[in-house]
Amino acid sequence: MNAVISVIGKDTVGILAAVSGLCAQVNANVQDVTQSVLGGYFAMIMVVDISKCNVDLSDLRTQLTALGQDRNLQIHLMHEDIFNSMHRI
């Protein structure tokens, strides 16, 4: 079971480390990641395996949102099934 994490904001040192570190703390395994810096803005999408996560999806979402607020980033978490449904052509 996977989830998709998106991160957008001004580029600063340690964004990837902070998000992946939080994932490691809750036992959410990063499966794939893509990131880019465009004109000083950071954008990242991560696919994480949440099947062995030690918190529920709602708690993980709350923790990621709080991390985003602390770092002045927008961080969103969505279950992979919902993400796929929303982006189906």
Side-chain angles (χ1 to χ4, degrees), residues 63-79:
Q63 290 181 40
L64 287 165
T65 299
L67 175 65
Q69 290 172 345
D70 289 345
R71 297 188 62 107
N72 202 27
L73 301 165
Q74 292 182 17
I75 303 178
H76 300 283
L77 171 72
M78 189 178 303
H79 192 280

Side-chain angles (χ1 to χ4, degrees), residues 37-51:
V37 179
L38 304 166
Y41 290 95
F42 179 88
M44 176 172 69
I45 297 176
M46 300 177 96
V47 177
V48 295
D49 178 357
I50 56 171
S51 61

Side-chain angles (χ1 to χ4, degrees), residues 4-88:
V4 177
I5 299 171
S6 62
V7 181
I8 297 173
K10 289 270 190 181
D11 186 35
T12 58
V13 173
I15 296 172
L16 176 59
V19 176
S20 61
L22 177 56
C23 289
Q25 288 176 8
V26 299
N27 207 36
N29 188 36
V30 176
Q31 299 291 310
D32 201 1
V33 61
T34 183
Q35 67 180 30
S36 185
V37 179
L38 304 166
Y41 290 95
F42 179 88
M44 176 172 69
I45 297 176
M46 300 177 96
V47 177
V48 295
D49 178 357
I50 56 171
S51 61
K52 296 179 183 173
C53 197
N54 56 29
V55 297
D56 65 28
L57 197 62
S58 177
D59 288 340
L60 179 55
R61 182 178 293 116
T62 298
Q63 290 181 40
L64 287 165
T65 299
L67 175 65
Q69 290 172 345
D70 289 345
R71 297 188 62 107
N72 202 27
L73 301 165
Q74 292 182 17
I75 303 178
H76 300 283
L77 171 72
M78 189 178 303
H79 192 280
E80 181 181 46
D81 293 341
I82 294 172
F83 182 88
N84 287 334
S85 294
M86 289 177 60
H87 296 91
R88 187 174 301 149

